[in-house]
């Protein structure tokens, strides 16, 4: 019997599972931090304009909004979570390297690092046309007869020779284009200019990459959560999130230092190779990741129930609108803040360190969240404070003057982001039925990180293209300032509705029953004193 109990305790090693999950999340977040924040800079290097980049990033978020929950449900339904995780790591690590095969179109100017000359538009087509139109010269005395008229070589080439060559070349070119369109795969790309060709190629690769990478995070998180739920240790699940922040911070700093040091030799390819290497290093941890395997079940409508719970609560609707707006602005900042910093002379080391400070400040918010919530009465006012903080940092971003001037706003960004997610967690617990807290939190997460981010990237791309980055940040600051005022008034007018969560009450009652014996003794002594007082009062009335 002892042997069986030892094997069972060895099988469900919660501490070991949490350590392994921490390693997995650290390596995966480190790899993501090496590449994802710097993608828009690389697209700028390729020659894509702001509106094109906005469309690419919006497509990425919309694809993740649909494919991520659907793929995680399928992986759970067919017990293929580990296969999905390992396959996602390997395929995304290889697909992303395709972006390195695309040469720069030379439309966007570089920053002039390594004493490199500024790239210009490719003059090859124009030179080829001029060479076709040029007539070989012999001597100054040579005379050409065109239409029975003699002209000397000192004069320009006759227009009628030029027109015939132009029309013949144009006709052959149009016939070739039509043939390519009808016979070749993606032949229509050849009709476009180099910039639009690059745009569609990058869009295709990013869509394929997102299909490979999107199922990973939710699938791994669900497997670990159900594993801990089976052994009644879900309270330790939140401790794994710290390793995500630390991994992202380390990846930001490391790749910033490497790219800045090796830029003259490798350019921005270090970011892609770092991502690939770290994804491959994550595979052993993913293969050993603790995942609870369950029997096949019928698909549940947890997402629709979560929508109904949010729709039936006025405070939750305000929170949903807020997370969409915050997601829009946060996506605009993440897409084009590095553009603003690059224009101020910043390099990747400035960007990496400033972004790492955001993640580190988020980890330091957890000990302060309880004190702030008590000071602000309840989490709703902390949500208002998060919106105000993001508005202030957007206004600050619009007036950057040096590479290191972004540091104060980044520290404030960590506070606003952490306050937002802490408020969302509290709101999810308030309206959730037993066991639905995680589903409602996922709903808010999708509204912010995917739906709001998609609209934010699309809008930000067109605003930057037409008005510039400074106007984008100032407009975002004004929008958030107006919404924070409206949010404060609405939260003051609308009463707070809180659903009674019996599972939390049961857990609180269990903790109370297992409390110190001194508290039980105090409760018993108080009851006995009350009983003695009542008894003595009765004797006095009888006397």
């Amino acid at each position: 019997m002892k042997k069986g109990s030892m094997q069972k305790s060895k099988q469900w090693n919660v501490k070991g599972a949490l350590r392994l999950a921490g390693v997995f999340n650290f390596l995966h977040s480190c790899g993501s931090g090496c590449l994802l924040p710097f993608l828009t800079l690389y697209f700028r290097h390729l020659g894509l304009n702001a509106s094109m980049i906005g469309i690419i990033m919006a497509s990425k978020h919309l694809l993740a909004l649909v494919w991520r929950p659907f793929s995680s449900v399928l992986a759970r339904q067919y017990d293929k979570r580990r296969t999905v995780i390992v396959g996602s790591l390997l395929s995304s690590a290889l697909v992303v390297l395709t972006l390195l095969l695309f040469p720069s179109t030379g439309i966007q100017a570089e920053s002039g690092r390594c004493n490199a000359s500024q790239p210009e538009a490719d003059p090859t087509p124009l030179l080829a046309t001029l060479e076709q139109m040029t007539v070989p010269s012999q001597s100054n005395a040579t005379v050409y007869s065109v239409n029975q008229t003699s002209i000397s070589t000192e004069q320009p080439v006759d227009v009628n020779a030029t027109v015939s060559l132009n029309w013949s070349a144009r006709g052959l070119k149009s016939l070739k284009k039509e043939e390519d369109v009808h016979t070749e795969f993606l032949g229509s790309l050849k009709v476009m200019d180099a910039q639009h060709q690059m745009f569609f190629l990058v869009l295709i690769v990013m869509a394929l990459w997102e299909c490979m990478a999107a199922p990973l995070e939710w699938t791994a998180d669900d497997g670990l959560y159900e594993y801990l739920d089976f052994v009644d240790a879900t309270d330790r699940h939140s401790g794994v999130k710290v390793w995500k922040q630390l991994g992202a911070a380390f990846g930001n700093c490391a790749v910033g230092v490497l790219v800045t040091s090796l830029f003259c030799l490798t350019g921005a390819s270090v970011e892609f190779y770092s991502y690939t290497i770290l994804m491959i290093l994550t595979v052993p941890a993913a293969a050993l990741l603790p995942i609870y395997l369950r029997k096949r079940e019928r698909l549940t409508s947890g997402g629709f129930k979560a929508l109904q719970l949010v729709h039936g609560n006025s405070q939750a609707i305000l929170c949903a609108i807020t997370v969409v707006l915050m997601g829009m602005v946060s996506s605009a900042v993440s897409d084009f803040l590095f553009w603003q910093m690059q224009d101020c002379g910043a390099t990747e080391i400035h960007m990496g360190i400033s972004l790492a400070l955001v993640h580190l400040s988020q980890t330091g918010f957890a000990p302060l969240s309880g004190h702030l919530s008590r000071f602000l009465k309840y989490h709703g006012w902390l949500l208002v404070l998060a919106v105000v903080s993001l508005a202030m940092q957007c206004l600050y971003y619009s007036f950057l003057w040096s590479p290191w001037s972004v540091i104060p706003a980044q520290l404030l960004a960590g506070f606003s982001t952490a306050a937002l997610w802490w408020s969302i967690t509290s709101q999810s617990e308030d309206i959730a039925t037993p066991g639905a807290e995680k589903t409602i939190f996922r709903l808010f997460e999708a509204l912010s990180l995917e739906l709001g981010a998609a609209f934010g990237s699309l809008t930000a791309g067109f605003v930057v293209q037409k008005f510039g980055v400074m106007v984008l940040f100032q407009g975002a600051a004004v929008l958030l300032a107006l919404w924070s005022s409206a949010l404060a008034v609405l939260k003051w007018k609308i009463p707070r509705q809180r659903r009674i969560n019996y599972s939390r009450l049961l857990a609180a009652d269990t903790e109370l029953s297992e409390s110190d014996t001194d508290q039980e003794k105090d409760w018993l002594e108080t009851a006995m004193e009350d009983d003695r007082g009542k008894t003595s009062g009765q004797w006095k009335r009888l006397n």
Side-chain angles (χ1 to χ4, degrees):
M1 191 70 181
K2 290 184 177 179
K3 185 177 180 181
S5 62
M6 289 177 63
Q7 289 178 354
K8 186 176 181 180
S9 62
K10 199 174 198 179
Q11 182 181 1
W12 301 101
N13 186 1
V14 177
K15 292 183 179 179
L18 291 174
R19 293 193 194 99
L20 192 59
V23 173
F24 171 82
N25 284 281
F26 180 86
L27 291 175
H28 178 257
S29 298
C30 186
S32 300
C34 287
L35 179 60
L36 294 181
F38 303 94
L39 273 178
T40 55
L41 274 184
Y42 185 75
F43 295 156
R44 190 186 198 186
H45 164 74
L46 291 180
L48 302 181
N49 57 37
S51 59
M52 292 178 175
I53 294 174
I55 294 174
I56 291 173
M57 300 305 292
S59 303
K60 176 180 178 297
H61 292 302
L62 288 177
L63 185 60
L65 177 66
V66 177
W67 177 237
R68 180 173 290 147
F70 185 68
S71 60
S72 64
V73 170
L74 290 179
R76 177 187 179 184
Q77 179 71 14
Y78 295 100
D79 284 338
K80 298 296 182 181
R81 281 175 172 167
R82 199 179 305 278
T83 304
V84 169
I85 294 170
V86 175
S88 178
L89 286 171
L90 293 176
S91 57
S92 62
L94 297 177
V95 169
V96 75
L97 295 179
T98 311
L99 292 174
L100 293 176
L101 302 177
F102 302 151
S104 174
T105 58
I107 297 176
Q108 291 286 348
E110 294 287 341
S111 57
R113 295 156 70 176
C114 306
N115 296 325
S117 60
Q118 301 292 339
E120 299 177 356
D122 188 10
T124 305
L126 179 61
L127 292 176
T129 305
L130 291 176
E131 289 177 358
Q132 292 178 0
M133 294 170 57
T134 303
V135 178
S137 60
Q138 296 178 359
S139 64
N140 294 335
T142 306
V143 178
Y144 292 92
S145 175
V146 180
N147 293 330
Q148 296 180 355
T149 304
S150 61
I151 55 174
S152 64
T153 57
E154 295 179 356
Q155 297 177 351
V157 180
D158 185 75
V159 175
N160 296 327
T162 304
V163 172
S164 61
L165 288 173
N166 192 11
W167 276 105
S168 61
R170 186 177 300 176
L172 292 174
K173 189 176 181 180
S174 62
L175 290 175
K176 185 178 180 182
K177 286 181 180 179
E178 291 178 359
E179 183 181 359
D180 291 340
V181 170
H182 290 89
T183 59
E184 295 185 9
F185 177 69
L186 297 179
S188 58
L189 290 176
K190 294 185 178 181
V191 184
M192 306 176 186
D193 58 278
Q195 190 182 27
H196 284 83
Q197 289 177 1
M198 183 67 66
F199 165 69
F200 280 103
L201 289 174
V202 171
L203 183 63
I204 294 171
V205 174
M206 287 297 294
L208 181 61
W209 180 35
E210 189 62 31
C211 288
M212 300 295 105
L216 175 63
E217 190 172 354
W218 280 22
T219 304
D221 189 68
D222 288 341
L224 177 63
Y225 185 84
E226 292 182 7
Y227 176 92
L228 297 176
D229 184 46
F230 185 79
V231 294
D232 297 328
T234 53
D235 55 330
R236 302 187 183 184
H237 181 261
S238 58
V240 180
K241 297 180 180 178
V242 178
W243 293 105
K244 294 182 180 181
Q245 302 294 338
L246 294 177
F250 183 80
N252 298 148
C253 286
V255 80
V257 173
L258 288 176
V259 172
T260 304
S261 303
L262 304 175
F263 186 83
C264 297
L265 298 176
T266 61
S269 61
V270 175
E271 301 165 356
F272 292 85
Y273 289 122
S274 300
Y275 174 85
T276 300
I277 292 172
L278 286 168
M279 291 298 106
I280 295 175
L281 291 177
T282 314
V283 171
L288 301 174
L289 192 67
I291 295 176
Y292 176 68
L293 300 178
R294 59 171 64 242
K295 296 181 180 180
R296 291 190 179 184
E297 300 174 344
R298 295 173 57 186
L299 294 177
T300 59
S301 57
F304 294 103
K305 291 182 180 178
L307 282 172
Q308 291 177 355
L309 291 172
V310 172
H311 183 266
N313 189 286
S314 301
Q315 293 283 348
I317 293 176
L318 286 178
C319 185
I321 297 173
T322 303
V323 296
V324 171
L325 289 176
M326 294 280 282
M328 291 178 60
V329 177
S330 299
S331 176
V333 170
S334 62
D335 289 346
F336 295 103
L337 175 60
F338 286 173
W339 283 36
Q340 180 81 337
M341 294 180 65
Q342 190 178 61
D343 294 339
C344 294
T347 58
E348 286 76 8
I349 190 170
H350 302 98
M351 303 171 188
I353 293 176
S354 64
L355 195 59
L357 290 176
V358 178
H359 298 292
L360 293 177
S361 58
Q362 288 184 40
T363 59
F365 178 80
L368 302 175
S369 58
H371 300 288
L372 285 175
S373 63
R374 286 191 293 269
F375 177 74
L376 296 172
K377 302 300 182 183
Y378 63 96
H379 64 85
W381 298 110
L382 190 59
L383 184 63
V384 176
L385 187 60
V387 177
V388 173
S389 300
L390 185 56
M392 293 174 60
Q393 76 188 61
C394 287
L395 185 62
Y396 186 92
Y397 288 146
S398 64
F399 297 106
L400 293 181
W401 63 92
S402 67
W404 293 115
S405 61
V406 74
I407 298 299
Q410 294 296 82
L411 294 174
L412 186 61
F415 168 77
S416 63
T417 305
L420 172 67
W421 291 114
W422 192 89
S423 301
I424 291 173
T425 303
S426 301
Q427 182 68 67
S428 302
E429 293 175 351
D430 282 355
I431 66 174
T433 56
E437 297 91 348
K438 188 175 179 62
T439 306
I440 295 177
F441 181 83
R442 285 276 177 84
L443 176 62
F444 284 121
E445 188 178 24
L447 289 175
S448 177
L449 299 182
E450 309 303 345
L451 183 62
F455 287 125
S457 296
L458 189 64
T459 305
F462 288 103
V463 170
V464 172
Q465 181 71 23
K466 190 172 182 63
F467 302 104
V469 182
M470 183 180 297
V471 175
L472 171 67
F473 290 146
Q474 291 175 356
V478 172
L479 176 65
L480 290 177
L482 293 175
W483 175 247
S484 63
S485 303
L487 182 63
V489 173
L490 292 173
K491 279 192 167 293
W492 180 61
K493 292 290 185 180
I494 298 175
R496 185 188 181 195
Q497 302 174 3
R498 187 171 184 180
R499 182 182 295 271
I500 298 176
N501 195 324
Y502 293 99
S503 61
R504 291 204 304 269
L505 290 176
L506 182 61
D509 184 66
T510 304
E511 294 176 358
L512 181 62
S513 63
E514 296 177 354
S515 59
D516 296 335
T517 57
D518 294 337
Q519 296 181 358
E520 295 178 357
K521 184 178 178 181
D522 295 339
W523 174 84
L524 183 60
E525 289 179 353
T526 303
M528 291 177 65
E529 289 176 357
D530 293 339
D531 187 54
R532 288 172 184 171
K534 292 179 181 178
T535 305
S536 61
Q538 291 176 358
W539 277 107
K540 288 179 180 179
R541 285 194 297 271
L542 290 174
N543 292 331

